[in-house]
Amino acid sequence: MKISILSVGKVKESYFRDAITEYSKRLSKYCKLEIIEVADEKTPDRASEVVCEQIKEKEAQRLMRHVREDAYVITLAIEKQLDSVELAQKIDQLGITGKSQIQFVIGGSLGLHESLLKRADYKLSFSKMTFPHQLMRVILLEQIYRSYRIIAGEPYHK
């Protein structure tokens, strides 16, 4: 299985980069991992709703260049929450049904544009709270790693 994480913006903090590197290394045992970063747009202070939509659209266009037609696309958006076992079952089931690539999409500070949400095969929420996109990458990688440990019947923290 190939797992891609498409994300807006660069990870600047070394402690997040270190965690991403560690989980990427751990995941190499289970899947082929690809992390794609696209440039984010600067959001002016007190930007109007129109400007915010334009920013999300520009970021979505950059992300969509990397979305594969044959991939199963999971956007991170406030929608359906799964626990770790349910996420593992979802990943496992996708593999069983012949999906060879899952692409997780993380938006920028304003979220994802409607065009990307419409393309999504599944909208996944980790919480009703908002997280910085850099931290969300670490959380997502940890949960994908945990999913593969569950699928393999290996121990994991509950």
Side-chain angles (χ1 to χ4, degrees), residues 22-156:
E22 178 62 27
Y23 281 112
S24 297
K25 185 173 72 175
R26 291 181 187 189
L27 274 165
S28 67
K29 174 181 173 183
Y30 303 100
C31 67
K32 183 175 181 192
L33 178 68
E34 169 185 50
I35 298 175
I36 297 170
E37 296 175 332
V38 301
D40 58 345
E41 289 289 315
K42 300 298 175 221
T43 305
D45 291 340
R46 291 182 228 110
S48 70
E49 197 171 309
V50 171
V51 170
C52 289
E53 275 305 302
Q54 290 170 343
I55 289 170
K56 289 195 302 187
E57 186 174 13
K58 285 178 186 176
E59 292 174 345
Q61 288 170 355
R62 291 181 189 133
L63 288 165
M64 287 296 282
R65 289 185 199 125
H66 300 282
V67 173
R68 292 180 45 117
E69 187 100 6
D70 59 341
Y72 188 88
V73 177
I74 299 175
T75 53
L76 273 57
I78 297 176
E79 191 82 21
K80 172 108 172 90
Q81 292 183 0
L82 300 176
D83 64 27
S84 296
V85 172
E86 290 169 329
L87 180 60
Q89 290 168 341
K90 181 148 199 68
I91 290 171
D92 193 36
Q93 191 60 39
L94 288 168
I96 290 168
T97 59
K99 283 291 177 189
S100 60
Q101 182 166 15
I102 301 172
Q103 292 187 306
F104 290 90
V105 183
I106 303 171
S109 61
L110 299 174
L112 291 168
H113 188 261
E114 189 61 32
S115 61
L116 258 169
L117 295 172
K118 285 180 181 172
R119 168 56 182 93
D121 296 298
Y122 194 82
K123 296 176 190 89
L124 176 64
S125 175
F126 278 78
S127 171
K128 290 183 180 180
M129 292 185 261
T130 302
F131 297 102
H133 60 87
Q134 299 94 332
L135 176 59
M136 197 61 238
R137 277 191 235 182
V138 175
I139 294 169
L140 175 60
L141 284 168
E142 189 280 334
Q143 284 298 304
I144 294 168
Y145 173 68
R146 182 180 299 263
S147 292
Y148 276 107
R149 294 201 42 105
I150 291 168
I151 292 165
E154 297 170 354
Y156 69 96

